Amino acid sequence: MPTQGKSVEAFADQLMDMLNQGALSLMVSIGHRTGLFDALAELPATTLTQIANHTGLNQRYVKEWLATMVSGGILDYDPQQQHYSLPDSHAALLTRSSSPDNMAVFAQYIGLMGQVEDKVIDCFRLGGGVGYEHYPRFHEVMADDSGQTVLAALDEHILPLIDSLIPSLESGIRVLDIGCGRGRALCHLAARFPNSRFVGYELSEEALDYARNAARQMGLDNLRFEQRDLTGFEKRAEMDEFDLVTAFDAIHDQTTPQSVLNGIHKTLKSGGTFLMQDIRASSHLEKNIDHPIGPLLYTLSTMHCMTVSLSNGGAGLGTMWGEEQALEMLSIAGFDSVAVHQLDHDIQNNFYVMRKA
Ligand SMILES: C[S@@+](CC[C@H](N)C(=O)[O-])C[C@H]1O[C@@H](n2cnc3c(N)ncnc32)[C@H](O)[C@@H]1O
């Protein structure tokens, strides 16, 4: 069915709401990064001066931020007492202690993407893409994000998706994580399963420094991180090396995603398992119209996932490459039987589980 427009009045309301919510997203990100939400959750009803003193932040800026939050329905305000407060039900979705439900983490992407707007506009005119190096804080925000979507769900929800994986990890297997970023999932697994050996492949030196440092601090000697450019991975992948390969949100923005999938198949031992977490969506726009975060994900695609791939002349699959295309590409790589799992609490991801024959 073709989509239909709204009346001018209804569309004007939608646009106004969009401007307000877009602006609020940026300020929610600031509330997260400055610790203002955490402070408000600790203080009951409080004045501007108390909040500014508690956080050590500039009072004039805090005042403007508080006004935004009150007018945006995020904070309560008592004008008589001049008291600001964060309702418990809002704190449950905005503070560090509310992780993995802290939605302020995701608001950080709005400011991050805004930083490359000019470069992306150039790409609209000239083609090409914007490379990873132009995204300050990308790995920090990504690790914050996957700390909630992957790390927090790993033990209870993700590992149990694979039959007998936990006993195998306990006895000792070889595990590779593709595009491991800051390596939080790997550090967690290496600490929990000391008999298994873990490797992370990652391009970013900055992310690798962070990951190696974290592993050192945790005293892990069964984990190493390798700087590898996975472009054309199938040529360089070692044959029959790993019992388990994981890829958390790390396939669709690759320069050569098909070659990475082919390489994963090659580097798995026969009977080994590939676990791929990637965006839950269809490859067809008409099936994504009611997607609960469709506009957000198509925006992140344009402003990051698609453009980083295109910056190297890559496939530019985009965030919304979708389940149909994922299954087709996995089949080309040699994975014919793929189970697609979804977790009740996670509207954003599919978990694809498959074995090499
Ligand atoms: C969306 S992030 C996911 C990071 C991590 N798996 C997580 O869940 O936090 C994708 C990762 O793939 C890495 N990556 C992208 N292209 C790469 C390439 N050609 N070779 C190696 N790593 C690459 C990026 O640096 C980034 O860390």
Side-chain angles (χ1 to χ4, degrees):
M1 279 263 288
T3 58
Q4 299 228 303
K6 306 175 173 70
S7 69
V8 172
E9 293 76 13
F11 187 52
D13 285 348
Q14 178 183 337
L15 289 178
M16 220 122 69
D17 192 44
M18 174 201 78
L19 291 170
N20 278 327
Q21 299 306 326
L24 269 177
S25 294
L26 203 48
M27 293 295 252
V28 164
S29 170
I30 289 177
H32 172 70
R33 295 181 63 189
T34 54
L36 275 161
F37 286 128
D38 298 328
L40 279 153
E42 280 167 26
L43 305 165
T46 179
T47 64
L48 163 62
T49 309
Q50 285 169 331
I51 300 168
N53 288 344
H54 186 86
T55 54
L57 296 168
N58 179 285
Q59 188 158 323
R60 182 67 192 92
Y61 280 87
V62 173
K63 185 177 179 205
E64 221 63 4
W65 182 84
L66 288 167
T68 314
M69 291 298 122
V70 170
S71 61
I74 292 177
L75 295 186
D76 285 339
Y77 182 56
D78 176 346
Q80 229 134 42
Q81 307 286 329
Q82 300 199 331
H83 277 169
Y84 301 86
S85 55
L86 178 65
D88 288 347
S89 53
H90 298 194
L93 297 169
L94 288 172
T95 56
R96 283 178 174 74
S97 58
S98 71
S99 182
D101 297 325
N102 182 5
M103 292 181 72
V105 161
F106 304 106
Q108 294 178 97
Y109 283 118
I110 306 301
L112 193 64
M113 300 303 129
Q115 286 183 286
V116 294
E117 182 181 349
D118 290 351
K119 291 189 188 309
V120 171
I121 287 174
D122 288 344
C123 296
F124 271 83
R125 300 205 170 100
L126 304 169
V130 181
Y132 260 100
E133 68 278 12
H134 296 291
Y135 296 81
R137 297 188 67 246
F138 174 79
H139 293 288
E140 182 188 340
V141 176
M142 186 66 229
D144 224 1
D145 169 343
S146 60
Q148 296 204 144
T149 51
V150 179
L151 193 58
L154 209 48
D155 290 332
E156 201 180 329
H157 300 288
I158 301 176
L159 297 182
L161 294 174
I162 303 170
D163 284 344
S164 66
L165 176 62
I166 293 175
S168 303
L169 284 162
E170 280 165 349
S171 351
I173 57 173
R174 294 209 60 203
V175 182
L176 166 66
D177 188 27
I178 286 283
C180 63
R182 285 187 166 192
R184 290 180 72 186
L186 273 181
C187 284
H188 176 84
L189 290 171
R192 180 173 167 195
F193 301 108
N195 294 332
S196 287
R197 281 180 298 147
F198 299 84
V199 186
Y201 291 164
E202 169 58 50
L203 184 61
S204 160
E205 196 59 63
E206 180 216 316
L208 286 166
D209 281 350
Y210 186 99
R212 287 183 184 126
N213 202 25
R216 217 173 4 254
Q217 282 181 10
M218 291 170 74
L220 299 169
D221 58 9
N222 57 338
L223 165 61
R224 69 188 165 78
F225 293 98
E226 257 183 52
Q227 187 176 35
R228 284 232 193 168
D229 184 349
L230 293 163
T231 307
F233 182 49
E234 63 187 314
K235 284 190 228 100
R236 287 184 297 275
E238 291 83 359
M239 189 86 103
D240 302 334
E241 276 280 302
F242 295 97
D243 303 282
L244 172 68
V245 176
T246 54
F248 297 110
D249 203 12
I251 298 298
H252 64 253
D253 66 358
Q254 289 294 321
T255 306
T256 58
Q258 186 64 62
S259 177
V260 173
L261 294 175
N262 297 350
I264 289 169
H265 189 270
K266 178 177 166 189
T267 204
L268 270 174
K269 294 178 189 169
S270 177
T273 301
F274 177 35
L275 165 68
M276 179 177 88
Q277 175 224 329
D278 217 294
I279 297 298
R280 185 201 295 197
S282 168
S283 308
H284 305 293
L285 171 59
E286 60 274 24
K287 294 187 183 163
N288 291 330
I289 290 170
D290 294 327
H291 194 297
I293 49 171
L296 174 65
L297 293 174
Y298 279 116
T299 302
L300 292 178
S301 182
T302 312
M303 304 300 290
H304 183 267
C305 303
M306 177 188 77
T307 195
V308 292
S309 173
L310 292 175
S311 75
N312 292 317
L317 283 181
T319 314
M320 300 293 269
W321 63 318
E323 190 174 316
E324 298 88 339
Q325 189 171 8
L327 291 173
E328 200 180 313
M329 291 175 68
L330 288 167
S331 165
I332 292 169
F335 297 109
D336 289 324
S337 173
V338 180
V340 185
H341 300 276
Q342 299 179 337
L343 302 178
D344 285 344
H345 66 277
D346 183 346
I347 57 164
Q348 190 175 312
N349 294 296
N350 273 347
F351 293 83
Y352 300 85
V353 175
M354 63 219 87
R355 271 187 209 284
K356 178 171 171 177

